[in-house]
C-alpha cells in the first residue's frame, strides 16, 4: 500500500506483525486514509517477523522498516520474544517498535517497557476507536517524531 507523503519524499516502510486478519484489514484501512506515503508489509507470527527483519529466506529482499507495529500474542514466537530479539540486535534496535495488542495486563506493559518498547497501545474493540488509534500512531510517528534514516 503506497500513500502520499511530501515530508519524507519516499514511502515510509511499516512492518505489521499481526495474526488477526480483521486487525490487519482495519490497520491497512486506517493507514490508507492517512497523510503519509506508507508501504506496509505484513507477517503473521514472530518467526516470520525475525526472518523479515534479518532478510532471511523468502524475505531476502525485504525493506528495512521505519516502524514496527507488533502484536504480543502471536503464534510460534510471541511478541515479547520478538521485541527482545529486536532490541538486542545492533542492526535492528533503533527501529521504533509500537506494541499494539489486546492485552491490558500490567505485567505485559511493564515487561515490554523493560525490553525498551517505544510505545504500548491497547487495541480498542470499537471499529471507530481502532481506526482513530492507528491514525494517531501514523500522525505521531510520521509527522511529529524524527525517525532515524533507513540504510
Amino acid at each position: 500500500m503506497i500513500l502520499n507523503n511530501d515530508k519524507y519524499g519516499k514511502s515510509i516502510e511499516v512492518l505489521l506483525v499481526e495474526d488477526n486478519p480483521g486487525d490487519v484489514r482495519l490497520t491497512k484501512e486506517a493507514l490508507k486514509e492517512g497523510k503519509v506515503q506508507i508501504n506496509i508489509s505484513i507477517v503473521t507470527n514472530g518467526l516470520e517477523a525475525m526472518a523479515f527483519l534479518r532478510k532471511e529466506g523468502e524475505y531476502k529482499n525485504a525493506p528495512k522498516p521505519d516502524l514496527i507495529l507488533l502484536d504480543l500474542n502471536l503464534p510460534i514466537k510471541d511478541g515479547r520474544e520478538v521485541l527482545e530479539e529486536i532490541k538486542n540486535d545492533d542492526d535492528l534496535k533503533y527501529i521504533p517498535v509500537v506494541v499494539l495488542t489486546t492485552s491490558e495486563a500490567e505485567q505485559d506493559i511493564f515487561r515490554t517497557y523493560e525490553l525498551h518498547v517505544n510505545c504500548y497501545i491497547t487495541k480498542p474493540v470499537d471499529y471507530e476507536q481502532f481506526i482513530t488509534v492507528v491514525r494517531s500512531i501514523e500522525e505521531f510517528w510520521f509527522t511529529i517524531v524524527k525517525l532515524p534514516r533507513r540504510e
Side-chain angles (χ1 to χ4, degrees):
M1 166 185 326
I2 304 291
L3 307 171
N4 186 18
N5 176 25
D6 296 331
K7 180 179 175 184
Y8 287 88
K10 60 182 176 185
S11 66
I12 300 295
E13 296 292 335
V14 173
L15 175 61
L16 175 60
V17 187
E18 175 61 67
D19 64 320
N20 181 315
D23 289 348
V24 168
R25 184 183 52 75
L26 288 176
T27 302
K28 286 171 64 175
E29 185 177 315
L31 293 175
K32 180 173 61 176
E33 302 295 323
K35 300 175 184 173
V36 298
Q37 183 177 346
I38 296 176
N39 181 37
I40 187 167
S41 300
I42 300 159
V43 295
T44 58
N45 67 61
L47 198 60
E48 286 180 352
M50 293 314 301
F52 183 98
L53 292 167
R54 291 185 175 134
K55 300 178 182 281
E56 298 170 344
E58 69 180 282
Y59 302 108
K60 68 181 177 185
N61 296 317
K64 185 172 185 177
D66 296 298
L67 181 73
I68 300 168
L69 299 177
L70 177 66
D71 188 19
L72 285 186
N73 302 311
L74 298 167
I76 304 174
K77 179 182 289 203
D78 81 4
R80 295 157 202 83
E81 294 171 289
V82 172
L83 177 61
E84 186 169 16
E85 283 189 49
I86 291 168
K87 295 304 182 178
N88 285 320
D89 185 314
D90 287 339
D91 293 329
L92 304 174
K93 68 183 177 183
Y94 295 106
I95 302 171
V97 178
V98 173
V99 165
L100 187 58
T101 186
T102 56
S103 174
E104 294 183 39
E106 272 307 308
Q107 68 267 22
D108 284 337
I109 297 167
F110 181 81
R111 179 68 180 140
T112 56
Y113 278 107
E114 186 176 65
L115 293 170
H116 306 290
V117 73
N118 297 90
C119 184
Y120 189 104
I121 299 172
T122 302
K123 293 178 196 173
V125 292
D126 176 75
Y127 169 82
E128 290 298 324
Q129 288 177 349
F130 187 93
I131 297 293
T132 299
V133 164
V134 173
R135 288 184 182 153
S136 297
I137 292 168
E138 174 196 5
E139 177 77 21
F140 180 74
W141 285 101
F142 302 135
T143 63
I144 297 172
V145 171
K146 179 89 171 150
L147 293 172
R149 290 202 176 265
R150 256 184 285 155
E151 298 168 10

